[in-house]
Each structure stands twice: as C-alpha cells, then as structure tokens.
Amino acid sequence: MSYSIRNDGFDYQGFYLDPYTVTDLFPNEIDIDDVIQFYAKDLQMKPYWRDVQAEFNPIEGLPVGPIPDICTWMGSSLIFSPKAHDTLFSHLNEFGEFLPLTIEGTTFYLFNCITHGKLDELYSKAEKLNESGDVLQEERIRFNNIDTRDKLLFKTTLNNCSVLYCNETFIDLYNSKNLTGITFDKLN
C-alpha cells in the first residue's frame, strides 16, 4: 500500500529556504529552471552542494509551535531534523540524497528523493493542462505494490514529482521513532 506525505497541519513552524539561494550553488551551465525544479528533473545536487542557511518560522496568526522532525519542502523533497536524520539515514540513503542545511547553528538535512515508483498504469490517470502535457492535477494514482514494496520513499512523473509517496515500512519507522511533522494519506 502507498501513501502520500504532507505536513501535519499548522501545529509546527514552517520551513523557509529561498529556492534562489540554491541556484547560486550551481554552475551557469546548469539551467536555472532545472535547479528550481530539481525534484522534477531528478537533478542530483550533492556534487554542487555546500551548507546553506535556512530557517523555521512561526505560522502567521498562530501560536509559536515546535520545529518538526520532518516536513515537506518543494515538490518531492523533505527536511529532516538531526533526530530524524540520525534515526532514518541508513533506511533512506538509497532513495535519495541528504544535503546539509544550517538552521540556528544546527545541521538539518534536505532530502532530495531520486527514486520513482512504478505506477499501476491501468488505474492511474492524470488530467492534462495543455498540449505540452503539463499536469494540472492527478485524477487517480496508484502504484504497483510489487515495485514499491521495498521503496520507502518515491515519486512519480505523473504529477511532475510534486508529491512524495511512501510505503507502510516508512510509516512504521516514522511512528516507532516518535517523529513529528508529517502525516500520511492512503491512496486508493
């Protein structure tokens, strides 16, 4: 069974990193749009990455909440606290790259997922926005459970890699380590 990952409401502070800060890390030969959409382009960033400053901020109009252990960022990427990184790194390293970020003197990590899940082609269908095939929103999505059984985190080009997905093993690890910040929506 597969699940989509999303932030767990407004109880936690929000992560902020200006995407253009990331573009400054890359040589001019790499198109800036590819860097901004790294999650959809499968751009491996580790060869160019240097520690980047980022921050968590309270959500406007709400009481100041805690910093989450894990939260979503752009597309199919996640932000990991030191605790989440230390407890999940060995389980997730094969599915993407962990890139250091400094937040108030503490090292957090951007997880850039580079693993794709194979879709159940008979069930999955996307609504197209225009002639070039840009997806407006997914209508239905289901993954091939045999393919994703051993993939803890994965994405799909059906929705331009705009959502990160996981299997039940990831959820079990997340819950057993008492991590906070994200929630899971079961796919049909």
Side-chain angles (χ1 to χ4, degrees), residues 10 14 17 31 39 57-58 61 65 69 74 78-79 81 90 97-98 104 122 130-131 137 143 147 155 157-158 169 177:
F10 298 104
L17 170 62
D31 186 272
Y39 54 89
N57 296 309
D69 291 316
M74 295 179 60
L78 295 173
I79 304 303
S81 70
S90 64
E97 46 185 10
F98 283 92
E104 295 183 9
L122 296 176
N130 57 29
E131 300 84 34
Q137 68 182 41
F143 289 94
D147 176 70
K155 59 187 179 179
T157 56
L158 184 69
T169 303
K177 304 299 183 183

Side-chain angles (χ1 to χ4, degrees), residues 121-151:
E121 297 292 340
L122 296 176
Y123 179 85
S124 299
K125 179 181 172 185
E127 183 176 312
K128 302 295 179 187
L129 177 63
N130 57 29
E131 300 84 34
S132 66
D134 294 328
V135 176
L136 176 61
Q137 68 182 41
E138 65 221 36
E139 288 181 4
R140 297 185 312 215
I141 192 164
R142 181 183 298 156
F143 289 94
N144 177 315
N145 287 330
I146 294 170
D147 176 70
T148 58
R149 175 180 46 224
D150 297 324
K151 294 177 180 176

Side-chain angles (χ1 to χ4, degrees), residues 18-143:
D18 184 341
Y20 289 99
T21 301
V22 175
T23 63
D24 293 341
L25 303 174
F26 290 82
N28 292 337
E29 305 85 63
I30 298 178
D31 186 272
I32 191 170
D33 291 332
D34 289 347
V35 176
I36 294 292
Q37 295 182 341
F38 66 92
Y39 54 89
K41 303 292 185 175
D42 285 334
L43 180 63
Q44 295 201 20
M45 301 192 294
K46 193 170 255 180
Y48 310 103
W49 195 262
R50 294 183 310 274
D51 192 12
V52 173
Q53 298 289 318
E55 58 191 42
F56 279 97
N57 296 309
I59 296 176
E60 190 174 328
L62 296 175
V64 176
I67 292 175
D69 291 316
I70 302 176
C71 66
T72 63
W73 188 47
M74 295 179 60
S76 51
S77 63
L78 295 173
I79 304 303
F80 282 73
S81 70
K83 173 186 173 184
H85 174 266
D86 292 349
T87 59
L88 297 177
F89 176 83
S90 64
H91 301 283
L92 301 178
N93 194 40
E94 68 182 286
F95 305 111
E97 46 185 10
F98 283 92
L99 308 164
L101 302 163
T102 299
I103 300 174
E104 295 183 9
T106 302
T107 302
F108 283 69
Y109 296 87
L110 165 62
F111 179 78
N112 178 24
C113 182
I114 55 173
T115 301
H116 290 260
K118 185 177 180 182
L119 292 171
D120 175 337
E121 297 292 340
L122 296 176
Y123 179 85
S124 299
K125 179 181 172 185
E127 183 176 312
K128 302 295 179 187
L129 177 63
N130 57 29
E131 300 84 34
S132 66
D134 294 328
V135 176
L136 176 61
Q137 68 182 41
E138 65 221 36
E139 288 181 4
R140 297 185 312 215
I141 192 164
R142 181 183 298 156
F143 289 94

